[in-house]
Amino acid sequence: MAANWKMNLSLDEARDLLNGIKSAKIDFNKVEVLVAPPFTTLQLANELLAGTDILIAGQNMHWGSKGAFTGEISPLMLKEAGCSHVILGHSERRALFFETSETVNQKADAAIEAGLIPIVCIGETLKEREEKKTFDVIRTQLNKSLKTSCKLGNLPQSVILAYEPVWAIGTGKTATPEVAQEVHLFIRRWLIENFDHNTGETIRILYGGSVKPDNIKELMLQPDIDGALIGGASLKTDSFLSITKF
Ligand code: PEP
């Protein structure tokens, strides 16, 4: 269960939320829990979560290792700040900051090279869904965002994919479990076609888009939904913890 805090929470608010999650009884044999705070909160998260099983992710990064890239952050910087994972290609980055699948591929390569686990996000807009282009869009995003791995014919099994229909993010409109499952199964078949059966079975595919305590159970009952990327509902201790106990 991955919490994407986006550009939210002051240090005091973050401290309260992290302490709340940390003191809860979570069965880490059943669920992996990850928080993705803003960059300025990573150090606090690293200090407070030290010695726990809760993982930390960056929300974005640059593909280079260092240099004149004002405003950017490198894979190594994320690692030094305690991150094991990094979210890449979130639809807000694609739509608002003009990130493309080509740069997502560069970032995914750099993350893998640096020993960070990328959480690669893909998803169609409402217009694309209404025009019945969902599967084409998802296929193209996967082909381009994981281009290097496709060429090599090898995708590290730790890589995580997140299907986030853009029309369901922050809108309160969750994809029905059946609609989400249909796309997750498509993604799994794409993995099998492009890599191998084992990769298709092993890679975790998260669903994201208005996940809440009252819809997580149904979503997690779907055979190809392995977890969730949660925005709004991850900002409150009670709702996030209740999602982790689906
Ligand atoms: C997200 O930011 O990845 C997300 C799914 O947001 P929300 O849960 O608020 O829809």
Side-chain angles (χ1 to χ4, degrees):
M1 292 298 158
N4 176 13
W5 292 6
K6 312 192 187 193
M7 196 174 72
N8 289 301
L9 304 183
S10 67
L11 282 179
D12 281 346
E13 289 166 336
R15 190 176 289 109
D16 286 349
L17 178 51
L18 289 166
N19 280 330
I21 301 170
K22 187 177 155 177
S23 53
K25 284 203 177 73
I26 298 175
D27 184 351
F28 291 104
N29 292 316
K30 287 199 184 142
V31 64
E32 237 174 61
V33 174
L34 173 148
V35 292
F39 294 140
T40 50
T41 311
L42 287 175
Q43 196 182 340
L44 175 72
N46 194 22
E47 281 164 21
L48 288 180
L49 300 178
T52 74
D53 287 312
I54 301 163
L55 303 163
I56 306 173
Q59 295 178 16
N60 177 35
M61 61 166 217
H62 191 267
W63 57 84
S65 54
K66 62 178 175 178
F69 302 108
T70 303
E72 293 291 332
I73 187 159
S74 76
L76 188 62
M77 289 169 183
L78 287 184
K79 283 193 79 177
E80 283 181 341
C83 294
S84 51
H85 292 63
V86 59
I87 299 173
L88 297 178
H90 190 280
S91 65
E92 286 150 15
R93 298 232 41 99
R94 291 177 188 261
L96 304 173
F97 304 102
F98 312 108
E99 196 158 303
T100 63
S101 291
E102 285 76 11
T103 57
V104 174
N105 179 55
Q106 283 178 279
K107 292 178 183 201
D109 292 350
I112 293 167
E113 170 83 27
L116 280 168
I117 297 175
I119 302 173
V120 177
C121 302
I122 47 176
E124 81 287 2
T125 61
L126 184 58
K127 184 167 179 282
E128 289 162 343
R129 174 160 285 269
E130 284 173 351
E131 289 171 356
K132 308 216 174 312
K133 290 184 183 153
T134 299
F135 296 121
D136 286 343
V137 169
I138 298 294
R139 186 189 299 106
T140 304
Q141 286 181 346
L142 287 168
N143 285 341
K144 291 186 175 174
S145 304
L146 294 174
K147 189 173 171 188
T148 310
S149 298
C150 288
K151 263 196 195 156
L152 295 172
N154 179 40
L155 185 67
Q157 312 231 325
S158 55
V159 168
I160 297 172
L161 300 179
Y163 169 56
E164 299 209 300
V166 180
W167 46 272
I169 297 180
T171 58
K173 284 187 204 163
T174 327
T176 62
E178 294 72 25
V179 164
Q181 164 59 24
E182 195 183 25
V183 181
H184 280 236
L185 178 59
F186 177 84
I187 296 169
R188 214 172 282 294
R189 287 190 174 141
W190 179 89
L191 287 166
I192 293 170
E193 263 168 44
N194 283 274
F195 301 99
D196 52 42
H197 198 79
N198 194 35
T199 306
E201 292 294 314
T202 313
I203 294 284
R204 280 171 299 168
I205 311 172
L206 311 184
Y207 168 77
S210 298
V211 171
K212 299 184 265 304
D214 61 6
N215 59 26
I216 185 68
K217 202 179 173 119
E218 276 182 305
L219 287 161
M220 290 303 291
L221 282 172
Q222 301 301 313
D224 293 298
I225 299 183
D226 302 314
L229 183 53
I230 308 124
S234 73
L235 296 173
K236 293 254 158 59
T237 313
D238 288 353
S239 65
F240 183 58
L241 285 176
S242 121
I243 289 171
T244 66
K245 290 186 183 126
F246 66 92

